[in-house]
Amino acid sequence: MQKSNSATDYRNELESRGTLPEGFSTGFTGLSFSPAELGADQKMEMNLSLLLLDESTSSFAGTFTKNLFPGAPVLLCRKRLENDSFRGIIINNKIANVCIETGVDDSEKIINTAAEEIGCGPDQLMSSSTGVIGWRLPVSDMIKAVPEAVKAAKDDNHRNAVTLSERIMTTDSFPKLRSRTLAGGRITAVAKGAGMIEPNMATMLCFIMTDLDISREALREMLPGVVAETFNRISVDSDQSTSDMVIAASTNKIACPDIKEFRDALYDVCSELAEDIVRNGEGTSHVIRVCVDGAASVEDACAIGKALVNSPLVKTAVAGNDPNVGRFASSIGDYCGNNGINLPAEKMEMKLGGEIIFSGGVFRMTPDKELRLVAYLKDCGTIPEHKGWPVHEKTVNIDINIGMGNSQSIILGSDLTHEYVRENADYRT
Amino acid sequence: MQKSNSATDYRNELESRGTLPEGFSTGFTGLSFSPAELGADQKMEMNLSLLLLDESTSSFAGTFTKNLFPGAPVLLCRKRLENDSFRGIIINNKIANVCIETGVDDSEKIINTAAEEIGCGPDQLMSSSTGVIGWRLPVSDMIKAVPEAVKAAKDDNHRNAVTLSERIMTTDSFPKLRSRTLAGGRITAVAKGAGMIEPNMATMLCFIMTDLDISREALREMLPGVVAETFNRISVDSDQSTSDMVIAASTNKIACPDIKEFRDALYDVCSELAEDIVRNGEGTSHVIRVCVDGAASVEDACAIGKALVNSPLVKTAVAGNDPNVGRFASSIGDYCGNNGINLPAEKMEMKLGGEIIFSGGVFRMTPDKELRLVAYLKDCGTIPEHKGWPVHEKTVNIDINIGMGNSQSIILGSDLTHEYVRENADYRT
């Protein structure tokens, strides 16, 4: 991850990454509204963003949350994936449009207005919403605002994705944008998300744009695997949202030299965005990087890594720079003991910051090691302030070999700080 | 749950509950030690407690953690359960004795010394340890202290379990003791535990004493079921410890009129202790009581209830008195969607504080209801201070009917507050 020393540095860095691939444009507007569930005296501001392709494409793909109560946009996008043709996606923050009587209708009304303004079929457009679950979208206010977003996208001369990365934010503390170039073409992707994050299919919201020529079939075969290896291996707070989606589309304008190279570039972009999301997690001070090796399967390795990074006692110990290694081992023993993984304790080796803390069935701590590990944890964390850019690129490295096989997985998680509680005890006010 | 207005009130209440059943006594001592893992300049205080039966009994039973890295006392107690005869258990706080090279040997040395002083076989004694995971017991210091605890138990004239309930505490903010009388006999039980709590077999530590005549077989058949319906249905922080155990023993001195009545009394004692543990959870301000009904199985009902009370976003919303009902539904959708429970959203009904917040597949919120629910949550919580007694007996009631069957379960959980983070970010210092 790149290190920036100021919001200006970081913004410059994003600008250099953010060039839109050929054939994409973005447009934005804002609106003021009162959530029906709170009453007319409560005012909020919503961003409306449009990601538009100059021409329709059949090369598009998507993955979505497995949450059983998905938002209306997820229901709608899943259906749109069956269509032959995609032209763009309209995105709002503040309200997620989940389990509302009129939810799908509301999203369709907004899409219909946008389609009319763009001059395309409503079936060619998707929508995406994040924010409070359980509130209704301010549909009429949004419909009034749509034409301005469409006009802005049509007039887009900037052709840079930085504004998109900023306008889709909710509790995010900094925008997340990554890109790779390949043979004159590029993959540019933005993501949002900071809380309610343990994706298990797709992340929060991620929009991947490319001009590299890739078929619909290849993209659809590739995307779930890349998502499984990147966004599905992070956790901020073990909650999978109702609205998670990754949408990818290509304008196919630039010849793609090699499908393997394309996949590698896509993996890099998604992997970096996944780390950005954890680093920007609500209240995150330490990013925890758990490498589980020697597992019987990748699934086991992922599950054990997630059990560790999701343990509140591990998360708070790391937040407090406390190498309370007993909690690390206990969280693994808890998961394995309750899920039929018969891990023999004497085969497990665990390292923190490269130092062995557990091997041969027993803990390996000494007063000197304790002091070194406290210093290591202190060095890997910062008091999280919403500076608008990632303030460090360090990770707390926990390496575990469980001696049961040859499968491996790397899971990223975050610590649990007062700032997380502060943000989430009063999220909506 | 009884309401006390002061530590004195609560202590008086405990005294009235705490009479030891016939044939039990308790003895205590303390010791000062330096954990080997921290070095000689760090001093800590440990309590050593002995629960002793006047004569050995064959009527004893136990259930233990499913954590794959259990403490040495758990390994040792599991073996002792196979024996015919039980005389008592020696208990320490501060260090849990988990995954230490000499762990079982250490526990056995302490037991051997106690057996010699008591005049019984070492096979008739168990041991129980809680505290930091990964540290070694100060064996020689403990061996020196054992005779005093044995002498105190032999001299015990108080015959009350209140001191036992106090001396086994670690981060507990108040002692936990419950009892029932039946036909001139009684069941008296004490428990400890405040963090690393999502028992799935037994809780932290719980010692159940009775003088009612019950056979070894009946007790062993009954205990797992009662534990499954009480301690296994609570969660403070979703972490199951390495040291959880419930040990029950009877002196068989009083005729038991009815096995069903005995089970009911045992259930009541365990159920009240389970609620005490959640109410005393680290940083707990609100106790959340989720009743899941209409499930296809009790297992599903338990799992859905636990998914809700373990969601950090639900826990922080409740801590902040924020009826962010979208998070409640999302946590259930997350669990069901990822665990093959095909709950139809339109069949689910969810209530908070008796008010419908979700039905027919959609949220049912209005500005008025929002205000009422904020007031309800405020009324159900308190700023947790370590007052030494439970400061209220209220619960935040969430009632869910998922319309898939006839099974039901009640799960108790706690909110997630700054105090939880404060206690756990710096537990060992």
Side-chain angles (χ1 to χ4, degrees), chain B residues 45 65 69 78 86 126 137 214 279 333 369 380 404 425:
Chain B
E45 301 297 320
T65 183
F69 303 140
R78 277 191 190 135
F86 173 74
M126 295 191 190
L137 290 176
I214 180 161
R279 194 163 298 282
K369 197 182 285 183
C380 291
M404 295 181 78

Side-chain angles (χ1 to χ4, degrees), chain B residues 180-416:
Chain B
R180 283 291 185 282
T181 54
L182 177 63
R186 59 173 58 235
I187 302 175
T188 304
V190 298
K192 70 129 310 216
M196 198 174 270
I197 285 188
E198 181 182 337
N200 187 16
M201 166 103 217
T203 184
M204 344 15 71
L205 300 185
C206 176
F207 306 108
I208 302 168
M209 303 155 263
T210 185
D211 43 21
L212 288 155
D213 189 11
I214 180 161
S215 72
R216 174 188 181 97
E217 293 66 34
L219 192 61
R220 289 185 179 204
E221 198 184 313
M222 185 186 299
L223 187 67
V226 170
V227 167
E229 291 167 25
T230 56
F231 296 116
N232 289 5
R233 295 195 183 166
I234 64 172
S235 177
V236 170
D237 51 13
S238 74
D239 277 301
Q240 181 182 181
S241 112
T242 53
S243 307
D244 297 345
M245 62 167 74
V246 174
I247 300 290
S250 171
T251 54
N252 297 326
K253 292 201 188 273
I254 315 270
C256 180
D258 182 78
I259 190 88
K260 169 82 172 55
E261 280 182 57
F262 182 91
R263 192 196 194 276
D264 289 347
L266 183 65
Y267 173 86
D268 288 346
V269 166
C270 291
S271 176
E272 289 177 357
L273 279 177
E275 180 170 341
D276 286 346
I277 287 168
V278 176
R279 194 163 298 282
N280 165 124
E282 288 168 351
T284 298
S285 166
H286 297 82
V287 172
I288 306 169
R289 183 183 180 282
V290 185
C291 177
V292 180
D293 209 338
S297 67
V298 173
E299 291 68 33
D300 280 1
C302 286
I304 289 168
K306 283 199 175 176
L308 193 135
V309 301
N310 284 333
S311 157
L313 290 167
V314 169
K315 289 159 78 85
T316 47
V318 171
N321 301 310
D322 179 5
N324 194 334
V325 298
R327 293 180 180 175
F328 297 7
S330 178
S331 70
I332 295 171
D334 178 1
Y335 178 80
C336 292
N338 284 290
N339 290 278
I341 299 177
N342 207 10
L343 189 166
E346 67 278 9
K347 284 200 179 172
M348 184 172 82
E349 182 184 87
M350 191 184 295
K351 291 180 186 172
L352 172 61
E355 300 218 41
I356 291 182
I357 55 176
F358 189 99
S359 69
V362 299
F363 289 98
R364 305 288 180 185
M365 295 299 288
T366 62
D368 284 355
K369 197 182 285 183
E370 171 91 13
L371 292 177
R372 283 197 303 274
L373 291 176
V374 169
Y376 172 71
L377 289 172
K378 277 188 181 156
D379 181 57
C380 291
T382 44
I383 296 157
E385 291 170 41
H386 282 196
K387 284 188 186 292
W389 76 94
V391 290
H392 70 83
E393 73 268 42
K394 294 167 184 164
T395 54
V396 174
N397 295 322
I398 301 174
D399 296 290
I400 307 166
N401 194 311
I402 61 172
M404 295 181 78
N406 297 309
S407 295
Q408 197 219 51
S409 174
I410 292 170
I411 300 288
L412 296 180
S414 67
D415 58 357
L416 173 55

